Amino acid sequence: MSTLPIRYELIKTCKQTGARLGIVHTPHGSFETPVFMPVGTLATVKTMSPEDLKEMGAGIILSNTYHLWLRPGNEIVKEAGGLHKFMNWDRAILTDSGGFQVFSLSDMRTIEEEGVHFRNHLNGDKLFLSPEKAMQIQNDLGSDIMMAFDECPPYPAEYDYMKKSVERTSRWAERCLKAHKRPNEQGLFGIIQGGEYEELRKQSAKDLVSLDFPGYAVGGLSVGEPKDVMNRVLEFTTPLMPAHKPRYLMGVGSPDSLIDGAIRGIDMFDCVLPTRIARNGTLMTSEGRLVVKNAKYARDFGPLDEHCDCYTCRNYSRAYIRHLIKCDETFGLRLTSYHNLYFLVNLMKNVRQAIREDRLGDFRDEFFEKYGFNKP
Ligand SMILES: Nc1nc2c(CCNCC3CCCC3)c3[nH]c(NCCc4ccccc4)nc3cc2c(=O)[nH]1
Ligand SMILES: [Zn+2]
């Protein structure tokens, strides 16, 4: 019996909140959970080198089927020996299946049983993506964790639309499994949909769990719904997911949502937020968000965050970073991106420590107080 490519090891459960401390083992190394995964859409986590990412402790990064299919093309990445070789990253890689990106990047799309017809967001060409095509691309990329091809419906969505969408996503998941060429080298995660409807989340989970994927994601969230809706959906969805497999909440990356997701049993998170807001000079700090272009930092020679020990905070001042960002100096983007990624990667390290000490609830209250989140 060959070893399965993805294995989840549950280390302990927080006595105060039920959050889990675990390890995910992959063909390209293991990483502890709960974990925040930096996003590298175009085969690079923008402005970060692999050495930067290793230095900050990243054990897994994300990339994307849709983007790499269009540029440079999955064939070129395959000829390079796969994405790990192409981008010189020897740790774990997870690729999203492209479904979400089609909906968020492209207009003029039609969804059919066979797949999705849409236009290339770069040049308007007609394109078609199906479960089989998405699996072929991820196979060429050689990612350690692939995502099933799914539909992420808009929020809000009518119950009837959502029911039809969930049933099609389940049929697509089965087609992905059938099209899976290397089940012993690449793990394939199913994505649970169903919006805010408990009955549909149950149906989606039941369909996908019966297909025995090595891991599962909660999709269809972080699409504009209020935070309390996300938390409620997680409360009735994570218990439906196998406890001995990884649970991945897609597209979630604000500090409060990471902590609240971990408390509700989520192990893996990703979001473009930290790198995206870094590029316009918005920083996450232990006292809340800081907009470094603000004139009040012109003569502030302290670090972005005095409680942060990252490369940026140990070596550069708010005044200097404000100057670089205002002058569009690319070094400024590196410094702000590094800090924001480090902030979330380090936050999850502190979450894991709080779980070890059975005090994640206290940690949440302290963090929310300092950061300025309300504490419902
Ligand atoms: N397959 C699939 N992917 C989803 C994603 C993409 C996750 N990141 C992929 C990376 C791989 C490469 C690109 C990203 C989501 N992202 C979000 N919210 C992001 C919201 C957000 C957007 C921008 C800034 C801040 C927040 N909800 C998501 C739901 C789904 C889903 O159901 N199915
Ligand atoms: Zn810092």
Side-chain angles (χ1 to χ4, degrees):
M1 153 84 166
S2 62
T3 52
L4 284 176
I6 302 300
R7 185 171 59 84
Y8 177 71
E9 188 185 348
L10 177 60
I11 303 296
K12 77 161 283 190
T13 303
C14 173
K15 290 187 179 63
Q16 198 176 60
T17 61
R20 309 150 26 111
L21 177 70
I23 301 175
V24 175
H25 299 277
T26 83
H28 282 91
S30 307
F31 53 91
E32 288 187 325
T33 60
V35 67
F36 177 77
M37 305 182 285
V39 169
T41 303
L42 289 164
T44 165
V45 178
K46 289 182 173 46
T47 77
M48 292 291 102
S49 69
E51 290 72 25
D52 292 327
L53 293 166
K54 287 183 180 175
E55 184 188 69
M56 70 173 72
I60 177 167
I61 60 169
L62 259 73
S63 199
N64 190 274
T65 294
Y66 173 72
H67 296 88
L68 294 172
W69 173 37
L70 267 50
R71 291 182 297 180
N74 43 294
E75 299 81 6
I76 287 178
V77 177
K78 182 178 182 178
E79 282 167 39
L83 198 47
H84 290 87
K85 281 221 180 51
F86 191 53
M87 65 184 290
N88 186 34
W89 175 254
D90 61 4
R91 293 183 179 181
I93 297 177
L94 182 152
T95 45
D96 196 3
S97 51
F100 181 80
Q101 286 71 39
V102 167
F103 297 103
S104 58
L105 285 173
S106 165
D107 49 13
M108 283 295 290
R109 60 187 177 262
T110 50
I111 312 173
E112 291 161 10
E113 185 62 29
E114 191 49 22
V116 185
H117 296 271
F118 57 99
R119 287 192 182 280
N120 179 329
H121 73 289
L122 302 168
N123 61 17
D125 287 356
K126 280 193 172 26
L127 290 172
F128 175 69
L129 202 47
S130 66
E132 291 76 15
K133 180 75 181 162
M135 289 300 287
Q136 174 60 52
I137 295 166
Q138 293 180 92
N139 181 282
D140 290 347
L141 301 177
S143 42
D144 301 289
I145 301 175
M146 306 188 284
M147 299 310 293
F149 187 70
D150 64 327
E151 182 195 358
C152 173
Y155 176 84
E158 290 290 311
Y159 184 89
D160 292 345
Y161 180 86
M162 188 62 80
K163 183 167 171 49
K164 290 213 175 342
S165 172
V166 161
E167 288 162 353
R168 181 170 48 218
T169 286
S170 294
R171 292 192 296 272
W172 284 358
E174 199 153 7
R175 284 169 53 187
C176 287
L177 269 178
K178 288 198 177 74
H180 192 180
K181 298 273 188 313
R182 297 191 297 212
N184 295 330
E185 294 157 70
Q186 296 182 279
L188 174 61
F189 280 18
I191 304 176
I192 295 169
Q193 294 290 350
E196 58 186 307
Y197 305 106
E198 185 166 3
E199 280 319 299
L200 297 181
R201 287 283 177 185
K202 276 187 182 142
Q203 182 181 337
S204 181
K206 183 167 164 289
D207 294 348
L208 297 179
V209 170
S210 71
L211 293 171
D212 195 21
F213 286 101
Y216 293 89
V218 181
L221 290 176
S222 191
V223 286
E225 76 284 357
K227 297 231 176 188
D228 62 308
V229 170
M230 180 193 290
N231 286 335
R232 182 169 56 82
V233 170
L234 290 178
E235 272 149 26
F236 60 66
T237 302
T238 51
L240 306 170
M241 302 163 82
H244 62 294
K245 294 180 176 180
R247 298 178 182 143
Y248 164 26
L249 174 55
M250 305 188 87
V252 169
S254 60
D256 55 331
S257 299
L258 292 177
I259 295 172
D260 281 340
I263 287 172
R264 290 164 178 79
I266 297 292
D267 308 304
M268 298 160 67
F269 303 87
D270 92 277
C271 195
V272 296
L273 185 78
T275 37
R276 183 165 298 180
I277 64 173
R279 289 199 288 282
N280 63 41
T282 301
L283 286 309
M284 299 172 174
T285 78
S286 39
E287 267 79 52
R289 280 194 176 192
L290 180 153
V291 179
V292 78
K293 282 196 275 194
N294 191 311
K296 66 183 174 187
Y297 301 118
R299 290 177 168 77
D300 183 335
F301 302 108
L304 289 176
D305 181 348
E306 55 261 21
H307 302 293
C308 181
D309 59 352
C310 86
Y311 167 72
T312 301
C313 293
R314 280 186 283 108
N315 294 291
Y316 305 92
S317 70
R318 289 170 174 176
Y320 177 64
I321 294 165
R322 176 178 180 274
H323 159 64
L324 295 182
I325 296 294
K326 282 182 75 71
C327 300
D328 275 332
E329 277 294 342
T330 47
F331 186 51
L333 303 183
R334 261 181 62 73
L335 293 176
T336 56
S337 299
Y338 190 101
H339 168 80
N340 274 358
L341 284 171
Y342 182 95
F343 185 85
L344 290 184
V345 170
N346 192 55
L347 171 64
M348 300 320 274
K349 192 169 136 211
N350 294 336
V351 163
R352 296 194 296 269
Q353 190 53 33
I355 292 171
R356 281 191 192 89
E357 298 166 3
D358 295 312
R359 53 179 298 279
L360 186 55
D362 299 339
F363 177 83
R364 177 189 186 278
D365 293 348
E366 291 150 21
F367 184 89
F368 275 42
E369 184 69 35
K370 269 192 349 184
Y371 199 89
F373 289 118
N374 49 24
K375 281 198 309 184

